Amino acid sequence: LEIFFTNLPHHPGAAFVVVQHLSPDFPTLMPELIQRRTSLEVKLIEDRMQLHPNCIYVLPPRHNVRVEQDCLRLQEHIADQINYPINNFFHSLAEEWGEKVIGILLSGTGSDGAEGLQAISKKRGIALIQSPETAEFTSMPSSAIPGDSLDEILSPQDLAQTVYSLVHYSRNYRISQVQRGDLIPVEQLERILALLSKYQQIDFSQYKISTITRRILNRCSVTQSPSLSQYIALLTESEIERQLLRQDLLVSVTQFFRDSQAWNFIENQVLPQLIESLAPQQQLRVWVPACATGEEAYSLAILIDEAVHAANKEITIKIFATDIDSKALDVASLGIYSESIRNDITPERLEKYFIYKSGSYQVKRNLREMLIIAPHDLTKNAGFSKMNFISCRNVLIYMQPQLQQQVLRLLHVSLASQGILFLGNAEALGELETEFIEIEQRWKIFRKRREIQLTVMPLSQPPLLPPITPATLSSNRHIFQFERILDSVFDLCFTEQRLTCVLVNQECKLVHVFHNGANLLSFSTGQPKLEITELVPTAVQLPLRTALHRAKRDQQNVLYTGINLTRNDVNEVLNLKVAFPHNKYPISNEFMLVLIEVKTVFKDESNKIEFEVDIEPSKQIAELEYELQQTRENLQTTIEELETINEEQQATNEELLASNEELQSTNEELQSVNEELYTVNAEYQLKIQQLTELTTDIDNLLRSTNIGVIFLDNYLNIRKFTPMTSNIINIFPSDINRPLTHFTHNLNCPNLVQILSDF
């Protein structure tokens, strides 16, 4: 603070409020310490004190401060509660002053202030911190760095110059007056957006011009660019500045259970009905696009988990949390949030779904595993399908109308029949109003009215379709929308033929049964087996396994004939063919057709192989298969033992982590005490310096006068005297601490000692 105000130029044109972690047991000397370093007026804050430029306001001990319009309001701190004075003050500043705020986080312990800086940044203010390498206590500045809400990380000297430049810049370019893009010429704005599109792979051309303009001017201010032309030159050369501008334009505003009344409605009215409509073992599919750092997605996961347990229904849950901002997704993946979330989450939910670690809360594994976190661009990528619930709040407000309608159509296509759409308070459906039924007007909760295919017209390029995988194929029924028709065709064409035809994947797992006229497939009770070689008779298993292996290896069709099978005392001859579907589509390479026919001659015999197995080789193969099975069982046992050992080691590791966290917590408490002692020590150093200066001044004053003065203690012992005194009383410097009665004097006062004793 002393370095900052020493380097701050005169008449900066702003008001400064200093909020510290102070000991409640000592009066603060901070105003005196700061006043010695600046010509600005320094005041100790009083309740309802009005803010004025070129003044410094210091928080008194045992109080918190917030701002109401242009007044400072004091609140006495309750001793038993955890106190975050910096976060509280920053939040009130963000709400009252928005983009006119410059928040600065200096040296200190703990994480107080990090969340408050994010609030200032979200309201388009400026967020600055002291570089940790220049800080006496690095915890506070270091805790704010991962939040991606910072504009600059500087030394105290540079912070002072930057603040002065920002205030001066804002006088010439008043960002608060920007309502349209008219302060940025169209050519320059297009140039800036083209740079972001080229280097950052994101198109902001369909976002609202006013929002973009404000953030660009903010970056001009922070970088102290004299003109937009020079800022564009900086943007062209600096990859870091392009990343910072991109981060600024990706507005990320979120918190746990934001708009609590809306979440109460979701909890009590929407989710119970949604879960009741699902059949047992069915999947509840939820999508949270633009999830930012994940608070909303985890809020929804908590409510869904509680609702499913209350309904006592066995359903699976899959929540897709997506965003274009990869850094925000990293935070969501870690699931670690500051202590301040206790203001938004009940203590019961905190205990059930979070683990407290070193001054922060981390979501528990079972809650994290409910989420699938992935990057996704609503303006480019295709949406997810068959969603029962989509929460897309306060995303459309940053988009122009055309892009809003494109995104809404995408969400409509992604919703399942009777699916729920949850929008922000200031958002509307526009042209798609007739396609939704309004459930709750105030909180913008809608239900999809009908199953109709709406076209999603891209603005610039077609959406990037996600790759199709075998798992997708097997889990989505619409891929095989003609199953029943195909089954009917096979039954009609092959009723008279003893043919078994199935589709298997690359792992030889059964995907679909087209026809089983040869009656070669057998399914046992209990958990179903999907391995195709375990579903056919023993005599067919070896040739089938060999054919599948050869087909995968050579990537061509395989035909075996003359396979002998004895069933019901009848000898039969089988023909076996493994073939790939037509290779016009890449997906076809993921599957194989297996056809087994009794007493049938195949027309295509180009790859014909007569399959013969002698008795001895058959025995050897059977023995090898038995040994292989034994090896697999031994391997499985070894794996289970290793897993058990791993779990024990994991438990030990968790205990060590818990102990380490306790030690870290104790260390933080000691650091806080050390910080308070450091402040008190600085104040006492000031007092000592002042007393030393005062003593020196008195000594100089006494020595320069021709007046004889003797200083005595209560026992009339000499403590100090001026040189003139030696002409009256016969004393020398070596006589200090000797009684006055030991000396003679030339004064006309025979009872001098008696007079002094009477005092």
Side-chain angles (χ1 to χ4, degrees):
L1 283 170
E2 290 182 333
I3 296 173
F4 176 85
F5 285 113
T6 299
N7 290 272
L8 186 68
H10 298 298
H11 304 294
F16 296 83
V17 181
V18 176
V19 180
Q20 268 200 310
H21 294 154
L22 298 171
S23 171
D25 302 323
F26 300 95
T28 180
L29 294 177
M30 191 56 62
E32 290 85 349
L33 288 168
I34 295 176
Q35 189 67 78
R36 299 171 64 241
R37 301 288 184 171
T38 179
S39 60
L40 303 179
E41 184 179 3
V42 183
K43 301 178 180 179
L44 196 64
I45 297 175
E46 298 177 359
D47 192 29
R48 299 185 183 275
M49 181 176 280
Q50 193 169 13
L51 287 167
H52 295 284
N54 301 319
C55 288
I56 302 171
Y57 302 88
V58 178
L59 179 68
R62 298 182 299 277
H63 286 84
N64 289 344
V65 63
R66 57 186 176 87
V67 64
E68 290 182 1
Q69 297 181 350
D70 60 348
C71 290
L72 295 171
R73 299 300 308 274
L74 284 181
Q75 295 174 319
E76 190 166 354
H77 167 55
I78 301 174
D80 294 337
Q81 294 183 355
I82 297 178
N83 192 28
Y84 301 102
I86 303 175
N87 275 339
N88 295 335
F89 181 61
F90 278 175
H91 273 289
S92 70
L93 275 177
E95 292 299 324
E96 291 287 339
W97 288 81
E99 61 201 14
K100 297 181 181 179
V101 173
I102 302 175
I104 310 171
L105 201 60
L106 300 174
S107 170
T109 60
S111 60
D112 189 16
E115 185 188 354
L117 276 187
Q118 292 182 5
I120 289 174
S121 180
K122 290 170 184 176
K123 290 293 185 178
R124 305 183 182 90
I126 304 297
L128 309 174
I129 69 167
Q130 178 180 352
S131 55
E133 60 269 17
T134 66
E136 181 76 18
F137 304 97
T138 61
S139 298
M140 272 172 50
S142 297
S143 64
I145 292 176
D148 294 323
S149 60
L150 303 179
D151 293 296
E152 292 287 353
I153 304 174
L154 302 168
S155 66
Q157 297 94 323
D158 294 335
L159 284 172
Q161 295 296 326
T162 299
V163 168
Y164 183 82
S165 300
L166 288 172
V167 176
H168 176 73
Y169 189 95
S170 66
R171 291 173 177 173
N172 299 319
Y173 298 93
R174 292 192 177 276
I175 299 174
S176 59
Q177 296 177 358
V178 178
Q179 299 298 331
R180 303 175 304 278
D182 52 1
L183 284 189
I184 298 183
V186 175
E187 298 80 7
Q188 291 181 317
L189 183 60
E190 289 180 347
R191 174 62 177 157
I192 292 172
L193 298 184
L195 286 170
L196 293 176
S197 178
K198 177 180 179 181
Y199 293 103
Q200 298 297 316
Q201 288 77 48
I202 184 169
D203 182 12
F204 287 105
S205 61
Q206 292 297 322
Y207 286 69
K208 288 187 176 177
I209 301 300
S210 59
T211 301
I212 295 175
T213 300
R214 290 173 185 270
R215 301 315 290 168
I216 291 174
L217 290 179
N218 263 348
R219 290 307 306 169
C220 284
S221 176
V222 171
T223 57
Q224 303 179 34
S225 300
S227 65
L228 281 168
S229 299
Q230 293 192 12
Y231 179 70
I232 293 174
L234 172 65
L235 204 63
T236 305
E237 299 171 357
S238 174
E239 173 68 18
I240 295 177
E241 182 57 30
R242 290 194 294 266
Q243 293 176 356
L244 290 172
L245 178 58
R246 177 186 187 271
Q247 199 66 39
D248 265 14
L249 295 178
L250 293 175
V251 183
S252 177
V253 183
T254 183
Q255 70 181 69
F256 283 95
F257 298 104
R258 182 176 50 165
D259 298 327
S260 58
Q261 294 181 0
W263 287 105
N264 289 337
F265 186 86
I266 296 289
E267 178 183 5
N268 298 318
Q269 303 295 329
V270 177
L271 290 179
Q273 295 181 11
L274 196 59
I275 293 172
E276 184 180 357
S277 66
L278 297 175
Q281 305 304 324
Q282 196 172 349
Q283 188 178 83
L284 174 64
R285 294 170 62 83
V286 177
W287 183 19
V288 184
C291 70
T293 47
E295 285 91 332
E296 181 142 328
Y298 284 118
S299 300
L300 198 52
I302 290 172
L303 295 185
I304 291 174
D305 184 69
E306 292 176 346
V308 170
H309 281 85
N312 195 23
K313 179 179 285 189
E314 292 291 334
I315 63 172
T316 59
I317 304 168
K318 186 170 288 187
I319 302 175
F320 297 87
T322 65
D323 199 280
I324 196 174
D325 187 353
S326 58
K327 292 185 177 180
L329 291 180
D330 290 340
V331 177
S333 297
L334 291 174
I336 299 176
Y337 302 97
S338 67
E339 284 182 304
S340 59
I341 67 171
R342 66 175 64 193
N343 298 325
D344 307 317
I345 305 175
T346 63
E348 295 77 16
R349 285 173 174 165
L350 274 177
E351 183 178 358
K352 182 177 180 181
Y353 295 105
F354 293 85
I355 301 173
Y356 185 75
K357 290 185 175 182
S358 303
S360 60
Y361 285 95
Q362 182 173 18
V363 295
K364 291 185 178 179
R365 182 179 298 178
N366 62 324
L367 190 68
R368 172 62 183 85
E369 290 175 347
M370 293 172 63
L371 271 61
I372 298 174
I373 299 173
H376 183 276
D377 189 345
L378 279 170
T379 66
K380 295 180 180 179
N381 302 136
F384 298 90
S385 62
K386 301 297 181 183
M387 291 293 144
N388 304 107
F389 188 102
I390 296 179
S391 175
C392 185
R393 305 176 67 207
N394 301 320
V395 178
L396 304 178
I397 57 176
Y398 300 106
M399 301 175 178
Q400 295 188 32
Q402 184 182 359
L403 183 57
Q404 287 181 3
Q405 292 305 304
Q406 175 190 329
V407 172
L408 282 170
R409 287 173 178 268
L410 175 69
L411 299 179
H412 182 277
V413 171
S414 299
L415 280 171
S417 178
Q418 302 297 306
I420 303 297
L421 177 62
F422 186 18
L423 298 180
N425 295 343
E427 296 169 333
L429 294 171
E431 299 173 1
L432 296 186
E433 187 175 0
T434 57
E435 296 300 330
F436 288 91
I437 300 171
E438 189 176 75
I439 299 177
E440 173 57 43
Q441 179 182 9
R442 180 182 179 187
W443 303 115
K444 301 300 176 70
I445 302 173
F446 307 93
R447 176 179 285 111
K448 187 175 181 180
R449 183 182 296 273
R450 56 178 178 165
E451 196 64 44
I452 182 174
Q453 190 71 21
L454 298 178
T455 57
V456 180
M457 299 299 294
L459 296 171
S460 56
Q461 58 181 344
L464 303 176
L465 295 176
I468 302 176
T469 65
T472 307
L473 183 65
S474 62
S475 61
N476 294 326
R477 291 180 297 173
H478 69 276
I479 301 296
F480 293 118
Q481 55 183 322
F482 299 115
E483 283 183 6
R484 296 180 180 177
I485 299 176
L486 288 175
D487 291 341
S488 300
V489 170
F490 270 88
D491 288 339
L492 180 64
C493 297
F494 301 108
T495 300
E496 302 300 327
Q497 298 189 36
R498 300 179 65 189
L499 172 71
T500 293
C501 180
V502 299
L503 185 69
V504 298
N505 60 20
Q506 288 289 313
E507 287 75 36
C508 301
K509 297 291 182 63
L510 183 65
V511 175
H512 189 79
V513 178
F514 295 107
H515 192 70
N516 190 25
N519 198 25
L520 292 173
L521 300 179
S522 60
F523 299 91
S524 60
T525 58
Q527 186 175 0
K529 296 180 180 179
L530 296 179
E531 181 75 38
I532 186 62
T533 55
E534 297 181 3
L535 301 177
V536 296
T538 304
V540 185
Q541 290 179 357
L542 180 59
L544 177 56
R545 187 179 293 112
T546 306
L548 289 169
H549 174 73
R550 186 187 294 271
K552 288 193 294 183
R553 184 192 63 188
D554 300 336
Q555 288 294 300
Q556 65 179 11
N557 300 345
V558 175
L559 172 62
Y560 286 158
T561 62
I563 301 172
N564 294 315
L565 173 65
T566 302
R567 292 190 296 178
N568 301 323
D569 298 328
V570 177
N571 294 326
E572 297 175 334
V573 178
L574 308 181
N575 295 327
L576 166 65
K577 184 174 184 179
V578 176
F580 290 96
H582 193 277
N583 60 2
K584 179 180 179 181
Y585 303 103
I587 188 175
S588 64
N589 294 330
E590 304 288 346
F591 303 93
M592 294 175 288
L593 280 171
V594 177
L595 297 95
I596 309 175
E597 191 170 7
V598 180
K599 294 183 179 179
T600 302
V601 179
F602 286 86
K603 295 181 179 179
D604 181 11
E605 298 186 351
S606 58
N607 296 316
K608 177 179 177 180
I609 304 171
E610 188 74 22
F611 189 85
E612 296 180 355
V613 181
D614 294 331
I615 296 176
E616 288 301 323
S618 296
K619 290 182 179 179
Q620 293 179 3
I621 290 173
E623 291 175 357
L624 289 173
E625 287 182 343
Y626 176 76
E627 292 179 2
L628 178 61
Q629 182 63 29
Q630 291 293 107
T631 303
R632 286 177 176 173
E633 291 177 358
N634 293 336
L635 178 60
Q636 182 62 32
T637 303
T638 304
I639 291 173
E640 291 174 357
E641 292 176 354
L642 288 174
E643 287 177 348
T644 302
I645 295 173
N646 185 48
E647 289 175 359
E648 293 174 354
Q649 291 179 341
Q650 183 67 24
T652 304
N653 186 44
E654 290 176 357
E655 292 176 0
L656 292 174
L657 287 174
S659 300
N660 185 45
E661 289 164 7
E662 292 176 1
L663 291 174
Q664 287 180 346
S665 177
T666 304
N667 184 47
E668 288 181 359
E669 293 175 359
L670 292 174
Q671 284 183 338
S672 298
V673 173
N674 185 32
E675 182 183 355
E676 293 177 358
L677 292 174
Y678 185 85
T679 303
V680 173
N681 182 55
E683 295 173 348
Y684 280 129
Q685 289 289 343
L686 173 62
K687 279 185 174 294
I688 292 171
Q689 182 180 351
Q690 291 174 342
L691 290 172
T692 302
E693 292 174 354
L694 181 60
T695 302
T696 303
D697 292 342
I698 292 175
D699 285 344
N700 292 333
L701 174 64
L702 294 176
R703 289 180 181 278
S704 63
T705 62
N706 292 323
I707 302 173
V709 180
I710 300 177
F711 294 89
L712 304 175
D713 62 16
N714 292 334
Y715 302 100
L716 302 184
N717 295 323
I718 298 173
R719 291 178 53 199
K720 190 181 299 185
F721 62 90
T722 61
M724 190 66 182
T725 307
S726 298
N727 297 330
I728 304 171
I729 302 177
N730 300 319
I731 58 176
F732 299 94
S734 59
D735 295 327
I736 298 295
N737 293 327
R738 289 182 61 188
L740 183 63
T741 56
H742 291 184
F743 302 94
T744 61
H745 58 81
N746 300 325
L747 296 174
N748 186 18
C749 185
N751 58 341
L752 175 62
V753 174
Q754 182 63 37
I755 293 172
L756 294 174
S757 299
D758 293 339
F759 283 99

